Amino acid sequence: FSELPAPLLPWGIVETLMPILQLAHDHEKMETVKSIIQQVPAPHYDTLFFLLKHLNNVTLCEDENMMDATNLGIVFGPTLMLPPATMTTVNIATNMVAQNKIVELLIANLQSISIP
């Protein structure tokens, strides 16, 4: 995913999702996340949800594989959403934590944000 010409999650979407991480988990938050994710181009959206479904299945075996949504967020966060080349090193480090949390949120709440 890190070698794609464009990141799976465009940076504009990532920047929109970052402030939402601070909100309490509730139905309204998940509806907001869902509406933001729907703005992702269709091929990216389809690929993202295929991957998220797989990662969600991986979490079902976390007792054996030690890969819960947090760990998967750490692994996949940096590769699914690349910051712009103009971003400073300090901002990249700060944003990496948010990127990981976004992936964790998407995996852990897949049922709430999926479109049937």
Side-chain angles (χ1 to χ4, degrees):
F1 289 104
S2 63
E3 295 181 15
L4 290 172
L8 195 57
L9 278 174
W11 194 252
I13 298 291
V14 174
E15 288 181 318
T16 306
L17 289 170
M18 283 183 185
I20 294 170
L21 293 172
Q22 307 305 318
L23 303 175
H25 287 311
D26 63 1
H27 179 72
E28 184 178 334
K29 177 180 180 177
M30 290 302 107
E31 286 299 314
T32 303
V33 170
K34 183 177 180 177
S35 70
I36 292 169
I37 292 295
Q38 288 175 341
Q39 297 172 25
V40 173
H44 292 236
Y45 181 90
D46 293 342
T47 304
L48 175 66
F49 274 90
F50 187 84
L51 175 63
L52 290 174
K53 286 177 188 175
H54 172 69
L55 295 177
N56 186 268
N57 286 335
V58 170
T59 66
L60 298 177
C61 301
E62 70 181 83
D63 289 341
E64 296 173 35
N65 62 25
M66 307 294 280
M67 295 305 285
D68 59 8
T70 301
N71 289 339
L72 290 168
I74 291 167
V75 172
F76 284 91
T79 61
L80 298 181
M81 50 193 96
L82 302 174
T86 57
M87 190 170 284
T88 66
T89 305
V90 173
N91 288 343
I92 289 173
T94 303
N95 288 333
M96 189 174 294
V97 172
Q99 289 170 241
N100 299 349
K101 291 292 185 187
I102 289 169
V103 174
E104 177 184 349
L105 175 79
L106 295 175
I107 294 168
N109 296 284
L110 181 62
Q111 298 301 326
S112 300
I113 60 172
S114 294
I115 299 172

